[in-house]
Amino acid sequence: MALRTILTQGDPVLNKVAHPVTQFDQRLHDLIDDLRETLTDANGLGLAAPQVGILRRVVVLLNENDEMLELVNPEIIDQSGEQDGLEGCLSVPGYYGEVRRPAWVKVRAQDRNGMTFEVEGEGTTARCFCHELAHLDGHLYTELATKMYTVEELDEMLEQEEKEKKRKEGKGQ
Ligand code: ZN
C-alpha cells in the first residue's frame, strides 16, 4: 500500500471522464487499498480515483457510521428530495461551497471482486455519493456551488453564528 498524491483543481485529469473497470484483479485491489490509505491520511470523507490521477471508475467514501465503502463502476439509480449544505473537496483545498444535492440517493456499484450491490444514503452520505460520483465524470462541486467561502470566511461565519446563539440564549429565548 502507498499514499498517492491528490491532484488539485486546475489539473486537466480532474475534468476527464473515467473509464469503467473491467478487470477485478490485484491491480484494482492495490488501487482501492491506496485510495483508502490516502483518504484516511488526508482526513477526508471521500476520494475518487481520478483525484489521484487514475481515470478508472472507483470511489472510496466514509458513510455516517464511519465505515469505508468501496464502489467500483457506481451509478446513482434513484434519488429523492433536496438539501442545501456546505461541501469541500480534497482537490480544492482551503475552500467550501454551498451546494444543493438530493436528500437521499440509491447507488448501484460493484465491489472489488465484481459483485454487484446496492447501497443507500441520506444527509451527508447522500451528498458524498453525489460529490464522488461526479468526479468520475470530470465534474467538481465548484461548478454547482451557489456560493464559495474560504476556510477563514467560514470560521468567521461560524463564530458569528455562535455569538448570535449565545446572545439569544442569554435573553432566554
Ligand atoms: Zn472531491
Side-chain angles (χ1 to χ4, degrees), residues 116-133:
T116 300
F117 66 98
E118 288 176 5
V119 58
E120 300 173 20
E122 54 183 3
T124 306
T125 306
R127 179 174 291 285
C128 202
F129 280 138
C130 297
H131 178 117
E132 296 310 327
L133 268 61

Side-chain angles (χ1 to χ4, degrees), residues 30-121:
D30 289 346
L31 170 63
I32 294 172
D33 290 340
D34 286 359
L35 286 172
R36 294 180 73 108
E37 198 182 340
T38 306
L39 177 61
T40 302
D41 180 72
N43 205 19
L45 277 184
L47 189 63
Q51 291 181 274
V52 299
I54 307 291
L55 284 172
R56 296 280 163 210
R57 303 187 80 82
V58 180
V59 158
V60 297
L61 64 92
L62 288 172
N63 69 9
E64 63 277 10
N65 301 321
D66 254 357
E67 294 157 344
M68 207 180 281
L69 305 181
E70 306 174 354
L71 308 176
V72 180
N73 297 328
E75 285 175 82
I76 291 173
I77 55 170
D78 201 4
Q79 63 180 64
S80 70
E82 55 184 29
Q83 56 170 324
D84 291 308
L86 284 172
E87 220 160 285
C89 180
L90 294 173
S91 293
V92 190
Y95 290 89
Y96 289 90
E98 191 80 38
V99 185
R100 178 164 292 175
R101 298 285 193 188
W104 170 88
V105 298
K106 187 190 240 183
V107 172
R108 181 179 295 150
Q110 284 166 285
D111 69 12
R112 57 166 69 205
N113 298 310
M115 286 288 289
T116 300
F117 66 98
E118 288 176 5
V119 58
E120 300 173 20

Side-chain angles (χ1 to χ4, degrees), residues 152-167:
E152 291 77 19
E153 285 168 340
L154 195 66
D155 281 349
E156 208 166 291
M157 236 170 59
L158 294 176
E159 213 170 281
Q160 283 301 331
E161 269 173 28
E162 197 58 33
K163 266 189 203 155
E164 189 68 11
K165 216 172 109 192
K166 280 206 180 117
R167 200 174 60 83

